Amino acid sequence: MLSCLGLRKDYVTERGAVAAVAGIDLQVAAGRFAAIIGRSGSGKSSLMAMIGGLSRPSAGSVVVNGTDIWDLTENELAAFRNRRIGYVFQFASLLPTLRLIDNVALPAMLSRGPGRNGDAGDTYARASALLAQMGLGDHLDAYPSEVSAGEQRRAVIARALINDPAMILADEPTSDLDEQTEIEIMDELLAVNRERGTTLILVTHNLALAEQAEQIIHIARGEIVE
Amino acid sequence: MTAERRGLRWLLASLALQNLGRRKARSFLLIAAVAVASGVVFTGATLMRSIDRSMAVGFTRMGADMMVVPEGALTNITAALLTVEPTDLVLDADLFAKAQLTSVSRAAPQKIARVEHSGIGSHHESADLIGFDPALDFTIQPWLVEKLNRDLQPGDVILGAGREAPLGSQLLIFGKPHTVYGRLGKTGVGTHERGVFMAFGTLDALAMSMGGHGGGSPPAVLQPGKVSGFLVELAPGAAPLQARFAILSTLKGVKVVTGDSTMSGIRQGLAALLDGILALMVLMFASTALMICVLFSAIVTERRGELGLLKAIGARRSQIVGMMVIEAVIATGIGGALGVVLGTLVMRFYERSLVYYLENVGVPFLWLDTPRMVAVAVGAIVLATIIGALGALYPAWRASRSDPYDLVRGEG
Ligand SMILES: Nc1ncnc2c1ncn2[C@@H]1O[C@H](COP(=O)(O)OP(=O)(O)O)[C@@H](O)[C@H]1O
Ligand SMILES: [Mg+2]
C-alpha cells in the first residue's frame, strides 16, 4: 500500500523556482495497476522519482507499507530501492559494460553484498530464468549494445524483478519503441502485475493502455485533476 | 565471466576495469602520467638513499676538513683522506679538548709510528702502526668492511686493505700477540693500505717491547698523552678560513693542513641536489594527486548517469565510492608499477656514468641493497595507489551524495 501526502517538488532554476509537483495526495492499494497520465512537463516523472526513493521531496511524505521512506537513513533508503522497488526508466538504463545477465543479477548482488549469506550461483540462476522468461534466453552473455531497444527494455524488466519487489514503477517505458514492441513490453508488465501481484504504477501517453488500469491518475501542472 | 562464482566485489572491480578500457587513450595517459611520477619518486628515492648512504660512508671516510699537525711535520693529502706522515714531532693529546674551539665540531687524535722488524709482514718491511681513540675517531672506523661481532678491545688490531689475515686470528707484533679485529676497505692511501690500526692503549703498550728488540728508544709519539696530529671536522656553517685562523691563534706550534677545497663544494652541492630531489618528489606527489582529482571529477561527471542508475537499483554510497576508487587504484597501481620498471631501466642505463662520476669526485657509490630497493619500489607503487584513491575519493564522494534522479537526469 502506497500513500503520498502533500507531496511537492520545487526545482530551483535560474529563472526562479519551478513547482514540478505542487501538492499531491494519492493512494494506491497493494497489487493494483495504476496509470499516471498527463502532458509532457506536467510533473509525472518527478512524482514517480519521489515515490521510488530517487528524488527527495521538497515537502510531503511517501509512505510505503507504513514506512515514510524519506525518513529512512541513506543505507536504509538504498535497501528500499533495492528490495521493494523495480524501476523501469524512460530511457536505456543498462550498464553498457556488463552483460545482460550481469545487469539483471546486479541488484541482487548488491543486496547480498560481499560476505553475506546466499549464493551468487543462485542469483545468476534466477537472473537467467528471468531473462529466459522475457524471451532473452539466447542473449544472456550479450552486451546491451548487441541487442535491440526492445530487448534491452525486457532485460530492464527482468532486472526490476530480480529482487521480487512489491512495486514496479515504469516511467513511459515504451516511449522510444515501435508499436508492436510496445504492446509486447506492456503485456510483460501487465502479466507481472497479474501473476505476481506486484503493484504496477505506469506513466503512459497511451490512453488505450491507461484504460486498462484499475486506477487512473491524471496530472496537470503538478497537481491531480479529475 | 565468473561473477557467478566470485560475487559482488569481483563484479564491481570488473566494472571498474572495463570502465578504464572504455576510454583507452585517456586511461593510457593517466597511467603514463602516474608512471612518470612514480618513476621519478622511485629513482629519486633510490638515488637519494644510495647517495645518502654513500655520502654517509664516503664523507666520513674523507672525514676531516683539515688536519692539525706539529709545525714542520710532513703531510700527505689525497682526495679521499688526510693522513699524518710519521714524524718524531708530537702534540699533546688533549690540545683540542682544552682549547674548546667553537668552529671545530670534532677533532680525532692519531699516533703514527713507522717501525721495522716488528714481525709484521716480511722481515725488512717497515710498517705503519696507527693509534686512534675509538671514541673520537671518525676517519678510520667508517672504513671497516668486516669486523668481529663485538666492540674493539685492548690487544685488537685492524688491518689495512693491503694486508691479509683472517678475522680473529693472532698477529704477533714485536712478539706480543694481538687479535685481528677487522679489516678496512681500500682507501687508496699507501699508509693506510698496509697500516695496522689499534687503540692508543694497545699502541702505547708496544713501546716497551720495541725497546727490547734493540731498535733504540721507542718513537716519541708512543708516550701516553702525545699524538702525531689531529683530524678536524669543522662545525656546520663554520668558514674554513676563520676556523684555520682560530686554530692557529689558539694553539701554539701547530700547522693547519686543509684538504682539497673543491671537496667541500661538491659535498654541499650534493646535499643541495638531494634537497632538490626531495622538493621535486613532493611537488610531483601533489601535482599528480591534483591531476587525478581533476580527471576523476571529469570521469565522475561523465558517468553521473551510470552512478545514478547504480544508486537507483540500490547501490549504497560506499559501493559507488568504492567502485570509483577501485578504478583509480587499478590505474594508478599499474602506472606506479610501470614507473618502477621504467625507473629501474633508467638507473641501469645510467649506472655506469653515474657511479663513474661519483667515484671521480671521491664518493664511492653504494647501491641500496635489494631488500631496501624492493621496499622503495613497493613504497612508490603504494604511494601511487594512495594518490589515486585520494584523487578519486572526493569527486566520487560528492557525486554519491546526489539524488539518483538528479544523477540520471544529468543534474545535481
Ligand atoms: N532537475 C530539474 N531541474 C529543473 N527543472 C526540472 C527538473 N526536472 C524537471 N523539471 C521541470 O519540472 C517540470 C516537470 O518535469 P517532469 O517531472 O519531468 O514532467 P513529465 O515527466 O510529466 O514530463 C517540467 O517543467 C520540467 O522542466
Ligand atoms: Mg517524464
Side-chain angles (χ1 to χ4, degrees):
Chain A
M1 161 87 163
L2 162 75
S3 105
C4 305
L5 206 66
L7 211 49
R8 291 189 62 94
K9 184 73 191 188
D10 301 309
Y11 293 109
V12 183
T13 68
E14 280 155 15
R15 287 164 284 105
V18 179
V21 175
I24 282 185
D25 300 333
L26 126 90
Q27 298 208 325
V28 178
R32 280 258 186 99
F33 167 26
I36 297 179
I37 55 171
R39 294 179 54 173
S40 180
S42 57
K44 307 179 296 293
S45 293
S46 300
L47 173 63
M48 290 284 272
M50 290 189 286
I51 294 172
L54 304 186
S55 173
R56 184 170 288 278
S58 307
S61 60
V62 176
V63 177
V64 178
N65 291 335
T67 311
D68 185 339
I69 63 166
W70 289 105
D71 274 350
L72 297 174
T73 65
E74 189 52 58
N75 279 351
E76 288 168 344
L77 188 57
F80 167 80
R81 294 178 195 126
N82 185 260
R83 308 286 182 84
R84 313 304 239 99
I85 303 288
Y87 217 102
V88 183
F89 290 91
Q90 198 167 348
F91 44 83
S93 66
L94 295 168
L95 290 172
T97 53
L98 293 184
R99 300 172 301 167
L100 293 186
I101 182 115
D102 297 320
N103 265 290
V104 172
L106 188 55
M109 299 293 280
L110 285 172
S111 55
R112 262 173 18 87
R116 301 261 187 90
N117 289 335
D119 186 2
D122 249 30
T123 304
Y124 272 77
R126 257 187 305 138
S128 96
L130 278 170
L131 279 170
Q133 190 187 322
M134 295 292 151
L136 291 167
D138 293 340
H139 296 86
L140 302 183
D141 290 335
Y143 286 88
S145 60
E146 295 165 356
V147 300
S148 71
E151 286 167 326
Q152 287 182 29
R153 214 48 54 90
R154 289 165 189 276
V156 171
I157 295 172
R159 182 182 69 193
L161 293 173
I162 188 86
N163 278 339
D164 211 2
M167 189 155 68
I168 295 233
L169 302 177
D171 186 356
E172 300 187 40
T174 52
S175 56
D176 55 347
L177 303 178
D178 63 86
E179 208 171 324
Q180 184 54 38
T181 312
E182 172 175 22
I183 292 169
E184 288 171 18
I185 297 284
M186 283 306 172
D187 283 349
E188 299 290 2
L189 285 172
L190 293 180
V192 167
N193 169 249
R194 251 183 285 109
E195 288 157 23
R196 296 181 178 232
T198 309
T199 308
L200 173 64
I201 303 182
L202 172 74
V203 175
T204 182
H205 284 300
N206 186 329
L207 289 182
L209 191 67
E211 305 270 87
Q212 299 181 39
E214 296 157 280
Q215 183 179 351
I216 298 181
I217 302 156
H218 187 179
I219 297 194
R221 271 183 245 96
E223 294 177 358
I224 295 184
V225 293
E226 296 309 319
Chain B
M1 297 289 121
T2 49
E4 290 92 326
R5 270 179 280 123
R6 303 210 189 142
L8 179 69
R9 265 191 204 146
W10 190 87
L11 200 59
L12 290 183
S14 77
L15 205 57
L17 201 62
Q18 280 156 341
N19 280 336
L20 282 173
R22 264 154 106 181
R23 291 287 200 96
K24 291 199 176 59
R26 185 175 64 191
S27 302
F28 175 78
L29 287 178
L30 169 63
I31 289 172
V34 174
V36 168
S38 125
V40 167
V41 168
F42 172 65
T43 42
T46 304
L47 288 182
M48 216 165 102
R49 301 220 43 187
S50 298
I51 292 177
D52 215 31
R53 258 163 48 104
S54 304
M55 290 227 305
V57 178
F59 281 129
T60 39
R61 281 177 178 182
M62 278 180 257
D65 293 302
M66 47 181 65
M67 185 163 64
V68 173
V69 294
E71 243 170 339
L74 288 173
T75 49
N76 172 10
I77 307 167
T78 73
L81 193 78
L82 302 163
T83 54
V84 185
E85 290 281 300
T87 53
D88 274 342
L89 303 169
V90 294
L91 292 173
D92 288 338
D94 56 359
L95 204 57
F96 274 88
K98 276 198 198 143
Q100 296 274 354
L101 293 166
T102 50
S103 49
V104 169
S105 79
R106 293 193 286 189
Q110 278 192 8
K111 295 182 183 228
I112 301 191
R114 183 159 293 168
V115 296
E116 285 177 13
H117 309 294
S118 59
I120 305 171
S122 58
H123 191 64
H124 286 293
E125 187 180 329
S126 76
D128 283 340
L129 304 182
I130 300 163
F132 61 94
D133 179 343
L136 295 176
D137 164 63
F138 61 93
T139 64
I140 294 167
Q141 288 163 109
W143 285 96
L144 274 170
V145 287
E146 51 178 4
K147 65 180 194 71
L148 295 179
N149 200 12
R150 59 168 171 77
D151 286 340
L152 190 71
Q153 289 171 0
D156 283 348
V157 297
I158 295 169
L159 300 182
R163 294 196 182 275
E164 291 289 334
L167 288 191
S169 65
Q170 286 251 313
L171 181 71
L172 289 177
I173 307 176
F174 293 112
K176 286 184 74 173
H178 291 76
T179 307
V180 176
Y181 171 77
R183 217 164 43 78
L184 300 183
K186 259 180 147 31
T187 63
V189 179
T191 46
H192 277 38
E193 232 55 329
R194 301 200 58 78
V196 177
F197 302 78
M198 61 199 82
F200 282 156
T202 311
L203 185 57
D204 292 348
L206 283 170
M208 311 293 290
S209 332
M210 273 182 219
H213 274 253
S217 59
V221 75
L222 295 195
Q223 301 159 42
K226 298 292 177 194
V227 298
S228 310
F230 294 86
L231 295 171
V232 171
E233 183 189 61
L234 297 186
L241 218 60
Q242 280 158 359
R244 185 190 180 100
F245 182 73
I247 292 170
L248 286 175
S249 62
T250 316
L251 312 176
K252 296 298 164 219
V254 301
K255 160 166 113 170
V256 175
V257 182
T258 40
D260 188 347
S261 65
T262 58
M263 271 346 247
S264 45
I266 288 169
R267 191 191 306 195
Q268 281 159 4
L270 274 181
L273 180 70
L274 293 192
D275 287 350
I277 292 178
L278 189 70
L280 190 69
M281 276 162 57
V282 169
L283 279 179
M284 210 73 183
F285 183 97
S287 77
T288 310
L290 280 179
M291 183 203 74
I292 289 174
C293 201
V294 169
L295 184 61
F296 267 81
S297 298
I299 291 178
V300 163
T301 306
E302 178 183 291
R303 256 189 247 142
R304 316 178 63 75
E306 282 171 35
L307 297 183
L309 185 63
L310 278 165
K311 269 196 98 164
I313 62 174
R316 288 189 296 273
R317 280 185 70 182
S318 55
Q319 290 169 324
I320 303 272
V321 173
M323 194 184 79
M324 296 305 298
V325 167
I326 289 175
E327 183 173 336
V329 163
I330 292 174
T332 51
I334 294 174
L338 208 63
V340 166
V341 172
L342 289 178
T344 309
L345 291 179
V346 167
M347 281 192 289
R348 286 274 166 271
F349 193 72
Y350 285 109
E351 181 169 3
R352 273 165 176 274
S353 38
L354 180 74
V355 172
Y356 177 77
Y357 169 75
L358 283 172
E359 283 181 351
N360 229 10
V361 302
V363 178
F365 193 73
L366 306 172
W367 280 106
L368 272 189
D369 45 285
T370 311
R372 268 176 227 232
M373 197 104 127
V374 169
V376 172
V378 170
I381 296 170
V382 168
L383 203 65
T385 59
I386 288 175
I387 291 177
L390 289 181
L393 197 60
Y394 177 66
W397 176 82
R398 249 185 58 149
S400 77
R401 276 202 317 195
S402 308
D403 278 343
Y405 189 64
D406 293 334
L407 287 172
V408 293
R409 274 190 54 114
E411 279 152 40

